[in-house]
Each structure stands twice: as C-alpha cells, then as structure tokens.
Amino acid sequence: MKVIEGNLVAKEAKVAIVVSRFNSFITEHLLNGATDVLKRQGEVADDNITVVRVPGAIEIPLTVEKLAASKKYDAVIALGCVIRGATYHFEIVANESSKGLAQVMLKYGIPVAFGVLTTDTIDQAVQRAGSKAGNKGAEAALSALEMINVLKQI
Ligand code: INI
C-alpha cells in the first residue's frame, strides 16, 4: 500500500496571504495566527511570506487569482470575516467569496486555504479568531503547509 501524506514543514515554500480589511478587528488576529503557524511550524522564512491587504471578502478571489497566475507561490491563504447582518448581503458576499476561491484553486492547481469566517454574530467571529474556538487563520495555514507537501509528492 502506498500512502501519500504531507508533513507541516515547508522550509523553501513561498506563501501569499490575502487578508481583508473589512472586520479588521477579527482578520488581523487571523493573520497573526496564520503567520505564526507558517514560521514556527512550517519553518517558512519571513522573506518568503507575502501579505496582500484587500478591502473586503469580495475582493479576495480576484487577488488570489492574480497571485496564483504569477506562479510565484506554492500556496495562497485567504483570510476574511463575513458577519451576518439584517439583509441578504451576507449570503452574496460569503457565497461569492468561497465560490471564487474554489475556482482559483482548481484552475491554477495550487492550494488555496480557506480562512474566511462566515458567522451569524460578532461573538462567533471572536471565538474563531484566537479564543474559545481556536484560530481559523492558524488552521488555514496548517492546511496550506500540509497541501504543499502532499502535492509535491503526487
Ligand atoms: N466584506 C467583508 O469582508 N465582510 C463583511 O461582513 C461584509 N459585509 O457584511 O458587507 C463585506 N462587505 C464588503 C465587500 O466584501 C466588498 O468589499 C464591497 O462590497 C466593495 O466591493
């Protein structure tokens, strides 16, 4: 039996992180979680991490597409936070953002880690940005590292 699996160390990897400014009181914590994992667990060099800030979750897929098309990165991590309001706007932003990211991943064949929170309340977002429910930015970075190493072997 041959089993392909990835570890988490990716010393030579080049990783881009796209982070939205909207709800930055949450997304900055996701960014801290992601960079901490890349450096301390992935052993990725600081110089090999590129952070791109964009206005909101809607702008994340286009930016990730440009980064993927540049072929300079082994993985891209998408970080954002969409919090439900009183209108249908939440669904549009959350759905378009996730759909766009999935398309980019398949089109360019590089891992796009999904660290975009979609929550009903601010409290749920706070819980997922480094408190009770962990840090989804850190989790996205872990998945990017693992996928870099999985894809290298296929
Ligand atoms: N962008 C977010 O990242 N999160 C949100 O919760 C959000 N809401 O709720 O409106 C949001 N909207 C902005 C959107 O992503 C675009 O930046 C904007 O529409 C300009 O294109």
Side-chain angles (χ1 to χ4, degrees):
M1 180 172 72
K2 185 173 168 63
V3 177
I4 295 175
E5 58 184 1
N7 64 25
L8 299 175
V9 176
K11 287 185 185 173
E12 305 304 321
K14 293 190 169 51
V15 181
I17 303 174
V18 180
V19 58
S20 65
R21 294 183 193 278
F22 206 105
N23 291 326
S24 64
F25 71 105
I26 295 290
T27 61
E28 287 303 311
H29 289 288
L30 300 178
L31 178 61
N32 286 341
T35 53
D36 182 59
V37 162
L38 290 180
K39 290 180 191 176
R40 288 195 307 116
Q41 299 202 44
E43 299 179 33
V44 178
D46 192 67
D47 282 350
N48 286 345
I49 302 172
T50 302
V51 176
V52 184
R53 293 183 195 278
V54 298
I58 283 284
E59 285 75 24
I60 296 175
L62 170 63
T63 315
V64 171
E65 164 147 22
K66 285 275 181 198
L67 290 162
S70 77
K71 300 205 186 304
K72 291 182 190 160
Y73 303 98
D74 299 294
V76 184
I77 300 170
L79 303 176
C81 175
V82 193
I83 301 173
R84 191 182 289 279
T87 69
Y88 187 63
H89 197 69
F90 168 87
E91 272 81 5
I92 294 175
V93 175
N95 292 343
E96 291 310 309
S97 182
S98 59
K99 207 165 56 185
L101 289 173
Q103 283 169 359
V104 174
M105 178 149 56
L106 295 178
K107 182 171 170 191
Y108 293 98
I110 67 164
V112 177
F114 188 70
V116 180
L117 298 180
T118 53
T119 64
D120 287 332
T121 65
I122 290 176
D123 193 46
Q124 287 172 347
V126 169
Q127 285 174 17
R128 288 158 180 76
S131 58
K132 271 189 212 161
N135 184 315
K136 297 297 169 194
E139 285 178 26
L142 284 173
S143 104
L145 291 168
E146 186 171 342
M147 284 303 296
I148 288 169
N149 287 322
V150 166
L151 295 184
K152 232 194 270 176
Q153 298 173 68
I154 296 175

